Amino acid sequence: MVQGEPRILLVEDAEAIRLSVEVALRAAGFAVRTLPDGERLEAELARFRPDLVVLDVLLPGRDGFALLRVVRRHRAAGVVMLTARDGVEDRLRGLGEGADDYLVKPFVLAELVARVTAVLRRTGRAQPAVEVGDLVVDLDAGLALCRGERVELTVTEWKLLAYLAVHRDRVVGKAQILSAVWGYDEYSANLVEVNVSTLRRKLEAHGPRLLHTVRGQGYVLRGDRP
């Protein structure tokens, strides 16, 4: 049973990278807050209480190494560092000062999500499996089981299911889903409807309806009738 999404704080000054990483992490089921630099880091550590911090090394003001020391003083959180420099010395310095992992730019978003998940698992903060009726959505392993049988899903269907599972018992609108799963700002009802329909059909091949439509509001994943 989910006890709340793992919380990720992202500190990255490049807006395009910051937005794309935020969308990818949210789609993977994490609660995310972002900062463009380390100016408000201490306040956000106290307020948001992240389970993991993603730190860019080359930041305006205090760099990622200085911020890593701040994180270590304030929180027992995991730390994944990002850098455009691929020198061994930088990587050894980051790991030596307490980072849990180090990723060199440019990187694939899926790899970053995998690294974040792995660190959360090692630190005991990984998102547990979500149970909805006979459906088990294992966010860590990336699979869905219904009555013990695996539900075969495409990458997009998995992202959609994971997002709905993290928000189980809560109605989420089409615009929210579109932003979290596809990263689109423009509203496209048809794209969401088609994928929800396909996902619902696959789930119902294994058991009773769990993915419900709430007319005029959106969709909800729950085990009882709406």
Side-chain angles (χ1 to χ4, degrees):
M1 192 73 68
V2 165
Q3 301 298 321
E5 306 98 324
R7 298 178 297 276
I8 311 296
L9 178 62
L10 168 65
V11 187
E12 167 63 64
D13 63 320
E15 184 177 10
I17 296 176
R18 189 169 66 246
L19 292 175
S20 61
V21 170
E22 179 181 9
V23 168
L25 291 172
R26 288 187 185 279
F30 301 116
V32 184
R33 287 192 187 175
T34 67
L35 294 172
D37 54 48
E39 184 177 344
R40 295 186 291 111
L41 178 63
E42 288 89 343
E44 206 60 41
L45 289 172
R47 183 183 303 112
F48 186 49
R49 301 174 60 203
D51 297 301
L52 183 141
V53 181
V54 179
L55 280 176
D56 185 23
V57 171
L58 300 177
L59 290 166
R62 293 179 294 178
D63 67 13
F65 297 118
L67 298 183
L68 172 59
R69 293 190 286 273
V70 172
V71 174
R72 286 288 168 256
R73 288 198 301 268
H74 289 79
R75 292 284 299 169
V79 176
V80 175
M81 302 194 75
L82 307 176
T83 184
R85 302 186 299 204
D86 61 357
V88 174
E89 290 184 4
D90 276 353
R91 281 179 281 177
L92 291 177
R93 180 183 176 187
L95 296 172
E97 293 192 18
D100 295 282
D101 207 345
Y102 205 102
L103 199 57
V104 177
K105 299 176 182 177
F107 53 82
V108 177
L109 288 171
E111 181 181 4
L112 173 61
V113 172
R115 298 284 189 98
V116 165
T117 302
V119 172
L120 288 170
R121 187 189 306 119
R122 292 199 300 269
T123 57
R125 294 178 174 85
Q127 178 79 310
V130 182
E131 298 181 16
V132 185
D134 293 325
L135 175 68
V136 177
V137 182
D138 191 329
L139 298 164
D140 190 14
L143 59 85
L145 300 173
C146 193
R147 297 181 176 179
E149 185 177 349
R150 182 164 185 162
V151 182
E152 297 295 336
L153 302 171
T154 66
V155 173
T156 298
E157 290 163 357
W158 166 254
K159 289 180 180 179
L160 175 57
L161 179 60
Y163 181 74
L164 292 168
V166 166
H167 296 83
R168 61 157 295 174
D169 296 325
R170 285 177 280 173
V171 179
V172 289
K174 294 176 184 177
Q176 291 173 272
I177 294 173
L178 190 71
S179 176
V181 177
W182 284 274
Y184 297 165
D185 292 326
E186 295 184 7
Y187 183 62
S188 176
N190 185 63
L191 181 61
V192 177
E193 290 166 2
V194 168
N195 281 274
V196 166
S197 177
T198 303
L199 176 60
R200 177 184 285 137
R201 186 167 59 252
K202 288 188 175 183
L203 294 176
E204 290 181 8
H206 296 269
R209 174 162 294 194
L210 299 172
L211 179 48
H212 306 282
T213 299
V214 180
R215 192 176 298 278
Q217 297 182 52
Y219 305 97
V220 58
L221 189 70
R222 63 187 178 204
D224 61 338
R225 293 183 177 277

